[in-house]
Amino acid sequence: MKSFLLLTIGLLITASLFAQDNVPYAEKAMQIQKEVWGTAVPEFKSTTVPANLANESAVVLARSFSLQRTSKPRIKFMIIAAGVATRTIKLTTYHERVKINDKTALENYSTLSYQKKLDNSTSFLFNKIANVQDTYIGAKIIKPDGKEIVVNTGEEVLLKNEQKDQKGKLAIPGLQAGDILDYYISNSDFTETTQGNSFKDNDNLFVLADEYPVLYYSIDFQYNKKIKVQYINANGAPKFVESNNDNDDLLLSLKLRNLPKYQSVLWTSPLRQYPYIEIGSSYGAKINTMMGYDYEKDPNATRFENNELGFQAAFKEYPGFNDVEGKLKDYFGSHKSLKNAPVDSILKVFYDEWKFNVFCNYSGKELENMNEMNYRKARSEYAAILTSMMLTDLDIDNAVLLVASRNSNSLENVYNMDDMDAMVVINTTTPMYLCFDDIVTHFNEIPARFQGEKAVELFPKRHNSQNYSFTSDHTTLPVTTSEKNHVEESLEVSLLPANPQKLKITRTVKEQGELRHSDQKLLLPVQDIDDGYRAMIKGDELAKRLKKNDKTKKMGDDFSYAFTKEKMDMSKNFTAEIKSQFDQDPEQVTDTKIINPALENTSPVFQYCASFVLNNLVKKAGNNYIIEAGKLTGSFYKLEDKDRKRNIDIYMPCARSFKYSISITIPPGYSAKGMEEMTVKKVNKTGTFTSSAVVNGNNLIITVNRVYNNNFEKASDWPLVVDLIDAASNFNSQKILLEKKG
């Protein structure tokens, strides 16, 4: 399926077309179709694929993205006074012509999914604040003999069909390998806002590489003169050709040819490894104001330096900024006791207080989707500023670190404040880190996406409540070793007595470091996290916390019911975790248990267990049984042929290690054969894969160790990584024969 984020795609279409609010949807759709297909450039008539690309899954013959944005003020009359609203019309269209060469590409392009209509307009008495989005699509198939077949868009399926919210899906009937698909998705936004105009809502990002080769790509923007525009060309991306029309609108245009496809999507960081363009706009505001801060921008500073200045400008104390400091005094008994406490103890209690305050206070919206509560993220910049000011007040030597994720842009290519995160380092003999991230991040744990990254250190000096000055330096964040990001699984396996072609498994898992986060968030009930953090800092009971908020003080029963129900449903999450590990639905899932929730760094290993039955891993061969024992470790990645050669560097998730201990009970009257094939040893500088299988009494013991030594490898070492991947995937295919004796 090809899905589209419609706020980021577009074509220049006459604005007057959409000013006619009384024009029926079908008529607008026909007008757009004539505009798109009737004025296409010659590249959109092409039907020829170069000979050197004949074996590609698909080839994009032509692609265009265009956006036209017009914003202006408009007086809105309220009951008491008049106000100014910003009225914006934004027209976007994405147009693509692609040659389909195989079944994989055919499946990818067989449907188009889109938001057909979305109306978030609001009304107050006689005034209406408009916020309307309409989407129009078109598709036609060009057969090898040149015949064109226009797809009937009236045969779309509405996946959601409410008056103000419609989501559509259009199948492309008759599309076959060898055909060309020419399609577009055109989006019309009409908005009014009295709160300014968000820069983030008008941000477009273009990575100049694709899943398929692109022969021609045009990108065009048109902005009226009231709009402020900022864009960057990163990693060698070409610059726009700028011009102005007779109305003094800004025109930006870029024509590209022969864009390469992604060399690989495995362990890559596209915004570090490929050229890209990011462009955004806002009505009426200074660039720095629309980015979320206000200060005098330095015209001679780099983009990052100006974002850094904006961050520093936010160091303003306000009532309540040091509330946690008061709680620390309560925890330690007095201000004197707090001052005399070891720094690491103060920081540990502070961090627990911060997590409890951020993740265990509720607004009422959480009741709408309890499943999302463990996936909330903290606002790192805000938390780092408050923390640094409070630690400065306590005379604890600290610095703020500004860092960009290794999975995103580099610091040099920071576009706005969202492109970097903040954390706090405490300058002791061994530095300690406070990272404000997800709900299960530990004190002194640096998230894997920042490890090894360059960071700017800001050392604050307080002059008064509204004035901090800073000195700065550069540093590189440490990288956690593989043994700190570790998974250890123990499996007790036996043939199910009632059906020996099924396996009964009791599995215990221990996880630490980065590798525990996803399972903690999936398997820990919200109530257990809430209770755990409350106990750490002797916090208020849930009911008391809810009563402090006018919006939630009557919701005590609702939250208690939601917490209880979510806890009762946790077996579903265990089932989902088992399925993701073994690539099949488990049966008879029982004895699920969280052994250690690992909510703090003093007990850092997340541990859980479950019993279940797996099908499809045992085959009967006469009186014997063949067990696909290699799959009991879960599925290891198997390289496709196209990924075996690589000339781009390798961004691993983290340095990591895994150990699997599998004990298979050998039934009476049987013996185990085939252990020799399960003995493997592959060691090189990038990592290790070893496995062994031995019989011990009536048990077959299989041990597997898998290690990736680093979170980053140079492209030149890819063959060594391939050796480890191949060793693991080959192990997955190994089988054990339980042979009937005599």
Side-chain angles (χ1 to χ4, degrees):
M1 176 187 293
K2 202 76 174 173
S3 298
F4 301 90
L5 297 175
L6 295 176
L7 287 178
T8 65
I9 56 181
L11 169 74
L12 305 184
I13 300 175
T14 307
S16 61
L17 171 64
F18 294 95
Q20 307 170 47
D21 293 334
N22 59 340
V23 177
Y25 180 92
E27 185 176 334
K28 286 185 180 180
M30 289 302 298
Q31 289 175 299
I32 292 171
Q33 184 179 106
K34 292 178 181 178
E35 181 82 21
V36 175
W37 284 337
T39 60
V41 296
E43 286 80 1
F44 276 94
K45 304 296 183 183
S46 174
T47 60
T48 304
V49 172
N52 64 316
L53 301 178
N55 294 325
E56 296 288 344
S57 176
V59 177
V60 177
L61 302 173
R63 174 186 293 163
S64 68
F65 171 97
S66 305
L67 181 148
Q68 181 183 48
R69 181 181 178 195
T70 302
S71 293
K72 59 183 179 180
R74 183 185 181 219
I75 301 296
K76 281 285 190 180
F77 289 96
M78 310 299 179
I79 294 298
I80 298 176
V84 177
T86 300
R87 170 177 282 190
T88 297
I89 297 174
K90 185 168 66 174
L91 312 174
T92 63
T93 298
Y94 181 92
H95 184 194
E96 187 171 83
R97 187 177 179 94
V98 57
K99 175 70 181 301
I100 311 294
N101 287 335
D102 63 17
K103 290 184 179 180
T104 301
L106 179 63
E107 182 178 351
N108 200 22
Y109 283 96
S110 61
T111 59
L112 302 176
S113 298
Y114 54 98
Q115 178 80 48
K116 182 176 181 179
K117 181 181 180 65
L118 186 63
D119 187 347
N120 287 324
S121 302
T122 57
S123 297
F124 177 72
L125 297 177
F126 301 108
N127 279 281
K128 180 178 180 180
I129 303 297
N131 185 354
V132 181
Q133 171 188 305
D134 290 309
T135 302
Y136 307 85
I137 66 171
K140 61 182 177 181
I141 301 169
I142 298 92
K143 292 293 183 179
D145 62 2
K147 180 182 179 181
E148 294 191 359
I149 303 171
V150 177
V151 177
N152 181 4
T153 56
E155 295 182 355
E156 66 184 353
V157 175
L158 291 179
L159 304 177
K160 188 173 185 179
N161 189 14
E162 299 176 0
Q163 183 178 359
K164 293 188 175 184
D165 187 357
Q166 295 180 353
K167 290 182 171 64
K169 183 177 182 179
L170 179 68
I172 312 296
L175 185 66
Q176 298 175 320
D179 292 346
I180 292 171
L181 175 65
D182 189 316
Y183 70 94
Y184 63 85
I185 299 183
S186 184
N187 191 55
S188 164
D189 287 336
F190 176 69
T191 60
E192 293 177 309
T193 176
T194 58
Q195 302 298 320
N197 204 247
S198 171
F199 184 85
K200 297 175 185 176
D201 292 340
N202 294 282
D203 192 6
N204 299 273
L205 178 68
F206 304 88
V207 178
L208 302 184
D210 197 79
E211 181 180 1
Y212 308 113
V214 180
L215 301 185
Y216 172 80
Y217 192 0
S218 69
I219 304 173
D220 294 279
F221 291 89
Q222 179 176 337
Y223 299 101
N224 75 328
K225 60 184 178 181
K226 295 285 187 179
I227 296 173
K228 302 294 187 296
V229 180
Q230 176 173 295
Y231 63 89
I232 64 170
N233 308 79
N235 302 336
K239 294 185 178 298
F240 286 110
V241 175
E242 295 190 21
S243 61
N244 296 89
N245 62 13
D246 293 341
N247 294 324
D248 206 24
D249 293 347
L250 174 65
L251 306 179
L252 302 173
S253 181
L254 187 62
K255 311 301 180 191
L256 303 167
R257 294 186 183 275
N258 300 319
L259 268 67
K261 66 176 183 178
Y262 289 125
Q263 185 181 112
S264 176
V265 296
L266 175 65
W267 298 331
T268 59
S269 183
L271 298 191
R272 302 291 182 93
Q273 296 176 296
Y274 296 102
Y276 72 89
I277 296 168
E278 188 167 6
I279 179 170
S281 61
S282 178
Y283 170 76
K286 295 182 295 183
I287 292 292
N288 50 304
T289 301
M290 64 193 182
M291 297 258 194
Y293 47 85
D294 194 5
Y295 71 99
E296 190 62 33
K297 190 173 181 181
D298 183 353
N300 298 316
T302 67
R303 187 180 303 103
F304 171 77
E305 288 169 339
N306 272 303
N307 277 278
E308 178 187 328
L309 288 172
F311 180 82
Q312 294 176 13
F315 272 69
K316 308 288 186 184
E317 295 173 15
Y318 56 85
F321 88 93
N322 57 348
D323 281 349
V324 175
E325 186 177 343
K327 293 180 180 179
L328 283 176
K329 294 174 185 176
D330 293 340
Y331 186 93
F332 286 98
S334 68
H335 180 75
K336 182 178 180 180
S337 297
L338 171 60
K339 285 286 188 178
N340 292 332
V343 172
D344 58 344
S345 297
I346 295 173
L347 295 172
K348 173 66 171 59
V349 176
F350 163 78
Y351 194 70
D352 292 341
E353 287 274 8
W354 173 79
K355 283 202 292 188
F356 182 68
N357 185 60
V358 169
F359 294 112
C360 300
N361 279 303
Y362 309 108
S363 66
K365 292 183 178 180
E366 297 83 3
L367 295 171
E368 298 173 5
N369 194 345
M370 290 292 293
N371 294 330
E372 297 299 321
M373 286 189 65
N374 285 352
Y375 296 89
R376 290 169 292 163
K377 288 276 191 176
R379 293 170 56 193
S380 68
E381 298 96 336
Y382 176 76
I385 289 169
L386 294 184
T387 298
S388 181
M389 289 193 299
M390 192 205 75
L391 294 179
T392 301
D393 191 50
L394 289 171
D395 295 324
I396 295 176
D397 187 12
N398 75 93
V400 175
L401 301 177
L402 299 180
V403 59
S405 167
R406 64 199 302 269
N407 303 321
S408 185
N409 54 276
S410 63
L411 274 184
E412 291 80 4
N413 289 326
V414 161
Y415 182 65
N416 58 39
M417 290 294 288
D418 287 344
D419 286 344
M420 58 186 180
D421 281 78
M423 60 185 72
V424 172
V425 60
I426 289 60
N427 300 308
T428 53
T429 303
T430 301
M432 291 178 285
Y433 297 87
L434 299 177
C435 300
F436 312 101
D437 200 46
D438 68 18
I439 198 168
V440 294
T441 301
H442 287 165
F443 166 63
N444 207 22
E445 177 187 8
I446 301 174
R449 68 184 184 279
F450 303 127
Q451 293 179 19
E453 287 300 297
K454 294 178 181 178
V456 170
E457 260 184 314
L458 300 176
F459 302 92
K461 181 179 181 181
R462 184 184 189 275
H463 300 285
N464 56 55
S465 64
Q466 300 298 299
N467 184 12
Y468 282 70
S469 63
F470 300 85
T471 56
S472 65
D473 201 353
H474 291 80
T475 189
T476 299
L477 293 177
V479 178
T480 304
T481 55
S482 61
E483 64 269 18
K484 297 295 185 181
N485 299 312
H486 182 66
V487 171
E488 187 171 335
E489 296 197 17
S490 299
L491 287 78
E492 297 179 7
V493 183
S494 59
L495 302 183
L496 190 67
N499 184 350
Q501 290 185 247
K502 295 185 178 184
L503 294 180
K504 173 71 173 178
I505 299 174
T506 297
R507 175 171 169 253
T508 300
V509 182
K510 299 178 182 179
E511 301 171 333
Q512 60 179 311
E514 180 67 19
L515 301 184
R516 64 181 162 77
H517 282 241
S518 61
D519 284 338
Q520 272 184 294
K521 288 183 280 191
L522 175 67
L523 299 179
L524 281 176
V526 173
Q527 184 174 357
D528 285 10
I529 295 179
D530 188 283
D531 289 344
Y533 287 155
R534 180 176 58 81
M536 288 180 201
I537 53 95
K538 308 169 188 175
D540 291 335
E541 296 281 352
L542 175 63
K544 187 174 181 179
R545 277 174 274 146
L546 294 175
K547 287 180 180 179
K548 292 179 180 179
N549 186 335
D550 288 339
K551 294 181 180 179
T552 60
K553 61 184 177 181
K554 296 181 181 179
M555 294 183 177
D557 290 342
D558 294 335
F559 271 93
S560 294
Y561 172 79
F563 279 9
T564 301
K565 184 178 184 303
E566 192 247 0
K567 196 167 186 175
M568 292 173 62
D569 290 343
M570 289 307 293
S571 62
K572 296 179 182 177
N573 292 349
F574 273 90
T575 299
E577 188 278 329
I578 295 166
K579 181 180 180 180
S580 69
Q581 177 73 354
F582 297 100
D583 198 27
Q584 62 173 283
D585 288 307
E587 302 172 1
Q588 303 175 37
V589 179
T590 58
D591 302 322
T592 58
K593 182 181 179 182
I594 302 295
I595 300 171
N596 180 33
L599 292 176
E600 53 183 328
N601 68 330
T602 55
S603 183
V605 181
F606 181 54
Q607 187 172 352
Y608 60 94
C609 63
S611 295
F612 51 93
V613 172
L614 289 182
N615 205 346
N616 307 320
L617 294 181
V618 182
K619 294 181 181 179
K620 198 171 188 304
N623 293 326
N624 307 319
Y625 294 96
I626 300 172
I627 301 177
E628 296 194 61
K631 293 183 179 179
L632 290 171
T633 55
S635 297
F636 295 145
Y637 187 83
K638 185 176 178 62
L639 279 175
E640 298 182 27
D641 289 341
K642 64 183 179 65
D643 290 323
R644 291 193 164 273
K645 293 183 179 180
R646 180 178 182 131
N647 58 24
I648 57 174
D649 293 333
I650 307 148
Y651 282 79
M652 293 281 191
C654 57
R656 57 208 186 277
S657 59
F658 306 82
K659 181 178 181 179
Y660 306 89
S661 300
I662 303 166
S663 177
I664 302 175
T665 301
I666 302 172
Y670 285 82
S671 61
K673 307 290 184 182
M675 288 84 75
E676 299 82 4
E677 297 298 321
M678 302 197 79
T679 300
V680 178
K681 185 175 183 180
K682 183 71 66 173
V683 180
N684 60 49
K685 69 177 184 178
T686 68
T688 300
F689 182 88
T690 63
S691 61
S692 63
V694 296
V695 173
N696 184 4
N698 66 338
N699 292 304
L700 171 63
I701 308 299
I702 301 172
T703 304
V704 179
N705 287 282
R706 186 163 61 107
V707 180
Y708 289 107
N709 289 333
N710 306 301
N711 72 341
F712 177 85
E713 301 286 359
K714 297 297 291 183
S716 57
D717 287 326
W718 178 239
L720 300 178
V721 178
V722 169
D723 284 346
L724 301 179
I725 295 172
D726 287 346
S729 61
N730 290 338
F731 175 85
N732 266 159
S733 65
Q734 298 303 315
K735 300 175 177 61
I736 289 293
L737 173 66
L738 295 181
E739 186 177 54
K740 184 74 171 177
K741 294 179 181 178

